[in-house]
Amino acid sequence: MLLFGLLGFSAGLPFYMFSTVLALRLQAHGVALAIIGFFAWVQLLPTLKFLWAPLLDRFDVPGFGRFWGKRPGWIMLAQLGIFTAMVAMAFTASDASLAVTALFAVLLAFWTTTLEVAADAWRIELAPTAEQQGPVAAATLWGYRTAMVAAGSGALVIADMPAWGWTGAYLAIAIAAFLPFPILAAMRPGEGAGGGRAVALATGLAATLAILLAVLAATAALGWALLALASGVGLDGSANVTPYVLAVAMLPFVAMAAALPRIRRARADNPLRTSTAIGPYVDFFWRYGYAAITVMAFVAIYRMGDVLALYLSKPMIKGLGYSLTDIGIADSYVALIASMVGVGIGGWMAARWPRGRTLLIGALAAALGNFAFVWLAHQPVGTLPLFVATAADQFGNGLAGAVFVVYLSLLVNPRFAGAQYAFLSGWAFLLPRLLAGAGGQVVERIGWDAFFLASGVVSLAAILFLPAIVRAWPREDDR
């Protein structure tokens, strides 16, 4: 429980720094709301983690993996990646070049996601049943949300201090994010570990430097190509990107429907199922068959309201007249207590109640959190309304998040724990984060009230899937 609380804390600290805090930082520098919305697409990295998750299942990090084990080795590499990316964001905090800001935000999101993939795989391997997953998932989310609150509130309060500003805020969170690394380095070696700790650490650090530089170069090259492509087709802050986003979001559903007949007929020795790259994902569709489409649709919209509210709620609150310090205080103990209560209740329900009932309550709680922002927008600026809206939002997010993590974990085949959980948890946020990128333009057209009302209604729409979801069971593995 303590271990996974620590791992949750490690993953939660950077998240606000490339999402909500970054949105407020861009707003402070006069960046247009539509462009701020585009930066929400940095959060697509966690949804695409299935692209590199199989590498974490198959390969070890040199030095780290040999001595501490596969999962801890990847976690240590990711921690170093998080630290260096956040330091880079600190020293480019003027946002003089939005392309450079985007580069380091993407790197921070990539390494944060890599840490989550390794930690999730480890959690599923060590706690494969619902009774075990409930408490461990709750511990992970407690750590994760505690860190998010610490990063969000702490960074905003520091950023509001003239002597520190945004550079000081990012440096402070970078140092805090690095603290778990020495704790992991002091852990006892994994089974079959050879060589000494110092040699393993030195080898791991050398390998990490090479990997970090390679990922930086690849990200910069890909980013340059994507920006050139967007410019070439006329996509900028004035273009209506919503139709493009919806079209892209529909493609995976079309591809799944087309591939399912062939996947269902595939035998155990079929290359589709034995492939290292796609085998873990084909296995999910083979086991669930056509019910997989319903499951994936449910997974895609269950957390949509949370995601849409997360990225744009803080700019809305700032626009109402609250200071960064006001927002930071509300995001400290108020958000922490409400979130931990929600996570605790959600984990308890997921371990003891039928999954349909827990998912229903989670959807209701998440929707109420979104509706709270509509209520806040019509209240006089004051401490109490801000605290009430923040508490409602964080309680709903915590409860829905806990029951959802357990649900996703139980969908996974333990033989492909890392890859399949990365795929499902990434898919859960693909459509919401695609739409969040167009959120700034949507708000400019329909206003804040309609935006948060619509996002809450989407959370409630997940309830319509529950009768089919509770009857979706996998067939037995034939291997």
Side-chain angles (χ1 to χ4, degrees):
M1 295 282 283
L2 290 172
L3 172 63
F4 282 96
L6 172 65
L7 294 179
F9 187 84
S10 302
L13 271 177
F15 184 80
Y16 261 22
M17 306 309 289
F18 65 80
S19 58
T20 304
V21 173
L22 179 59
L24 287 168
R25 177 174 125 176
L26 294 170
Q27 184 185 40
H29 292 144
V31 178
L33 184 59
I35 302 299
I36 293 174
F38 292 164
F39 268 82
W41 285 332
V42 173
Q43 298 175 65
L44 284 174
L45 263 293
T47 72
L48 301 176
K49 56 189 173 185
F50 66 89
L51 295 175
W52 69 93
L55 299 177
L56 275 67
D57 282 340
R58 181 166 183 179
F59 298 107
D60 291 351
V61 177
F64 293 159
R66 177 178 57 82
F67 189 81
W68 285 280
K70 183 188 298 290
R71 306 304 184 193
W74 279 103
I75 291 169
M76 293 170 72
L77 167 64
Q79 289 252 288
L80 290 166
I82 288 168
F83 177 76
T84 54
M86 213 174 320
V87 169
M89 290 191 74
F91 288 108
T92 56
S94 65
D95 297 323
S97 169
L98 292 182
V100 171
T101 299
L103 170 64
F104 292 124
V106 167
L107 287 171
L108 180 58
F110 174 81
W111 290 116
T112 302
T113 304
T114 300
L115 188 153
E116 292 178 358
V117 171
D120 286 334
W122 206 8
R123 171 175 56 80
I124 292 170
E125 289 170 353
L126 297 177
T129 68
E131 291 77 13
Q132 295 170 325
Q133 271 296 321
V136 176
T140 302
L141 286 173
W142 272 333
Y144 192 88
R145 291 192 171 274
T146 300
M148 287 176 66
V149 168
S153 62
L156 295 183
V157 171
I158 294 172
D160 219 15
M161 299 176 180
W164 291 86
W166 292 109
T167 297
Y170 273 81
L171 285 176
I173 302 302
I175 293 170
F178 188 70
L179 291 178
F181 182 88
I183 297 174
L184 291 170
M187 288 174 56
R188 64 184 182 183
E191 292 184 11
R197 188 184 302 269
V199 173
L201 188 60
T203 305
L205 291 174
T208 294
L209 177 60
I211 294 170
L212 292 182
L213 290 174
V215 171
L216 171 64
T219 304
L222 181 60
W224 177 85
L226 289 175
L227 288 175
L229 177 62
S231 177
V233 299
L235 290 181
D236 55 27
S238 61
N240 182 10
V241 301
T242 305
Y244 299 97
V245 169
L246 293 175
V248 170
M250 290 302 299
L251 291 177
F253 287 99
V254 175
M256 284 188 291
L260 265 171
R262 182 179 178 186
I263 290 174
R264 287 291 283 174
R265 295 192 301 268
R267 299 171 62 89
D269 58 352
N270 189 293
L272 283 174
R273 296 179 61 191
T274 59
S275 167
T276 299
I278 66 172
Y281 314 124
V282 169
D283 173 83
F284 173 81
F285 292 102
W286 183 88
R287 289 189 304 122
Y288 283 93
Y290 290 99
I293 296 179
T294 304
V295 171
M296 297 296 283
F298 171 76
V299 168
I301 69 171
Y302 191 80
R303 300 302 306 277
M304 185 178 294
D306 297 351
V307 174
L308 293 176
L310 172 67
Y311 190 69
L312 290 177
S313 60
K314 298 302 185 290
M316 184 208 76
I317 295 171
K318 186 69 167 58
L320 292 176
Y322 292 95
S323 69
L324 292 177
T325 299
D326 294 332
I327 299 171
I329 292 173
D331 275 355
S332 59
Y333 60 89
V334 175
L336 177 60
I337 294 171
S339 177
M340 292 183 72
V341 170
V343 168
I345 293 174
W348 179 86
M349 290 192 309
R352 290 168 173 79
W353 290 1
R355 62 179 175 176
R357 188 190 307 173
T358 60
L359 290 168
L360 169 64
I361 295 173
L364 292 172
L368 289 175
N370 279 32
F371 296 151
F373 291 117
V374 180
W375 172 82
L376 176 65
H378 296 276
Q379 304 304 308
V381 173
T383 301
L384 182 59
L386 179 59
F387 282 9
V388 170
T390 300
D393 174 57
Q394 291 297 315
F395 174 81
N397 288 354
L399 193 152
V403 300
F404 193 57
V405 164
V406 174
Y407 171 68
L408 292 185
S409 299
L410 296 178
L411 292 175
V412 167
N413 184 342
R415 295 179 59 244
F416 307 106
Q420 285 193 7
Y421 189 86
F423 169 65
L424 289 170
S425 58
W427 173 264
F429 295 100
L430 174 61
L431 180 57
R433 285 171 177 160
L434 277 171
L435 293 175
Q441 292 187 331
V442 173
V443 170
E444 289 177 345
R445 287 173 170 81
I446 68 175
W448 290 111
D449 281 8
F451 178 79
F452 284 106
L453 282 171
S455 61
V457 168
V458 171
S459 291
L460 295 177
I463 296 172
L464 301 176
F465 288 85
L466 289 179
I469 290 300
V470 297
R471 293 194 295 268
W473 292 96
R475 62 176 172 177
E476 293 186 6
D477 201 331
D478 61 350
R479 286 181 283 186

